[in-house]
Amino acid sequence: MTTDKCIRAVVAGVGSCLPVRRVTNADLEKTVDTTSEWIAQRTGIHNRYIAGEGETTSTLATGAAAKALAAAGLTADAVDLIIVATATPDYTFPATATQVQAALGITRGAAFDLQAVCSGFVYAVTVAEKFIVTGSSTCALVIGAETFSRILDWNDRTTCVLFGDGAGAMVLQAAPGTGTIADRGVLTSHLRSDGRHREKLYVDGGPSATGTVGHLRMSGREVFRHAVGMVTDVMTDAFAATGLSADDLDWFVPHQANERIIDASAEKLGIDPAKIVKTVALHGNTSAASIPLALAAAVEDGRIKAGDLVMIEAMGGGFTWGAAIIRW
Ligand code: UT7
């Protein structure tokens, strides 16, 4: 860490948007060969939201973005970069991000989608931070938005009970820093991927391979087996890069796939359970949206405050995984 003056990407506001329809485990029992108890015990999930007619990834993303801008006290004309992390775009192209841009009335800067499945938000924060610290952008909307309900095989009980729809957004703004870990902003980020694991979590369709959209396929037990080791590896990298430790964190905001993975990861690194933000019970696994949905919940209820040290991490299809430490 240097003490030279530098630019930081600082969180100015967060926001979230969920579909209107909430679906409980008991609701799913009526159409899927499952039980509320199995879902709750194996995953910690109790509810998820499912997009209805007229609700798409871009409408949810736009809703979350508008709330994040309002929370930041900014209007859309401040934004010069939009990144939407999604594996469920409205269309193959144009990018969902350009549709969010148009819906917000923004006609300058750049907008693009980023595809890293459940790790998408950590990837998008990392990319936006690079744009900001190099001076390419001054105000970025970083959005995780998904409608996984549209790529689920509702006859596959091993996957369809796990996922939900939603969007979360974060405004990152350029601000001067000192180059030390006392600065506000994204302090460090670490991304990894290993494409050899494709078969464990993938969608069996796509424009080039099949000309179809396809359905999500997952060997849950195999993903679970890798998840804890992978996320704790990158979290360890984030601690090493900053000299920070688990005790320094105020909040741990992990990807919300399974409560057992979250708890095991926190325990392995000695993170106090009281510091874990969990929304998996409320939203299910919303892929790239899960971290910003959790961040928005914890900011809105007053847990995360300016100056707090927040660790985010995720792991998902690819495999991809990553972690970042942000001073709020
Ligand atoms: O976000 C991207 C990353 N994704 C993840 O992190 C997901 C990681 N994986 C997981 O969270 C867990 O592996 C699952 C929640 C998907 C599954 O939990 P598990 O403890 O690994 O269960 P399992 O796959 O070993 O299945 C246990 C049993 C099986 O029955 P048998 O073979 O033991 O008789 C399944 O058939 O549970 C059965 N089962 C179900 N039972 C009722 C599977 N799905 C269901 C269901 N309802 N929905």
Side-chain angles (χ1 to χ4, degrees):
M1 286 286 157
T2 71
T3 51
D4 293 343
K5 290 263 183 293
C6 68
I7 300 172
R8 291 292 196 183
V10 174
V11 179
V14 287
S16 63
C17 183
L18 291 162
V20 172
R21 187 160 79 97
R22 184 170 67 98
V23 175
T24 65
N25 291 351
D27 292 332
L28 283 183
E29 275 183 2
K30 293 174 197 150
T31 52
V32 180
D33 175 22
T34 191
T35 63
S36 291
E37 293 70 33
W38 189 94
I39 303 171
Q41 280 168 13
R42 299 281 176 146
T43 70
I45 298 166
H46 292 264
N47 301 288
R48 74 285 296 138
Y49 291 80
I50 302 292
E53 207 178 327
E55 290 175 321
T56 66
T57 296
S58 75
T59 68
L60 296 170
T62 303
K67 285 193 196 153
L69 284 169
L74 294 170
T75 50
D77 54 359
V79 174
D80 55 9
L81 176 67
I82 302 174
I83 306 178
V84 175
T86 188
T88 47
D90 286 15
Y91 295 96
T92 302
F93 76 80
T96 300
T98 61
Q99 301 314 289
V100 173
Q101 183 190 32
L104 293 172
I106 301 168
T107 53
R108 72 191 190 102
F112 58 89
D113 289 358
L114 187 153
Q115 161 60 293
V117 206
C118 296
S119 311
F121 188 75
V122 181
Y123 269 66
V125 165
T126 302
V127 172
E129 192 251 358
K130 307 295 181 223
F131 271 74
I132 288 173
V133 301
T134 54
S136 297
S137 305
T138 59
C139 183
L141 261 174
V142 185
I143 304 167
E146 304 278 17
T147 45
F148 261 50
S149 64
R150 305 241 158 96
I151 57 163
L152 293 174
D153 175 352
W154 288 96
N155 295 312
D156 175 10
R157 69 173 184 169
T158 70
T159 54
C160 73
V161 302
L162 304 174
F163 294 89
D165 303 334
M170 172 187 276
V171 179
L172 282 177
Q173 253 189 320
T178 62
T180 71
I181 55 168
D183 287 347
R184 293 183 63 208
V186 179
L187 299 179
T188 193
S189 56
H190 303 264
L191 302 181
R192 299 279 302 279
S193 59
D194 185 344
R196 290 175 300 173
H197 297 286
R198 174 191 184 275
E199 296 298 324
K200 299 182 181 82
L201 178 49
Y202 66 103
V203 170
D204 63 6
S208 182
T210 62
T212 62
V213 172
H215 291 112
L216 181 148
R217 306 293 173 202
M218 178 166 75
S219 309
R221 210 178 299 187
E222 282 293 300
V223 178
F224 198 119
R225 209 163 61 76
H226 287 83
V228 175
M230 285 177 162
V231 298
T232 53
D233 268 1
V234 273
M235 289 163 68
T236 303
D237 289 348
F239 285 138
T242 52
L244 294 162
S245 72
D247 287 342
D248 297 313
L249 295 181
D250 293 294
W251 300 106
F252 173 49
V253 188
H255 171 48
Q256 312 278 325
N258 186 317
E259 193 169 19
R260 292 186 290 148
I261 296 175
I262 294 172
D263 290 343
S265 306
E267 191 183 347
K268 193 170 168 192
L269 292 185
I271 297 173
D272 179 350
K275 295 177 177 176
I276 308 174
V277 175
K278 286 186 204 172
T279 46
V280 64
L282 303 171
H283 306 146
N285 182 348
T286 56
S287 183
S290 88
I291 292 173
L293 277 168
L295 288 170
V299 169
E300 278 159 24
D301 68 20
R303 274 178 288 175
I304 298 179
K305 297 179 293 298
D308 282 357
L309 204 57
V310 179
M311 162 87 85
I312 61 172
E313 60 82 356
M315 180 267 189
F319 289 152
T320 56
W321 63 108
I325 298 177
I326 304 168
R327 189 176 298 284
W328 214 257

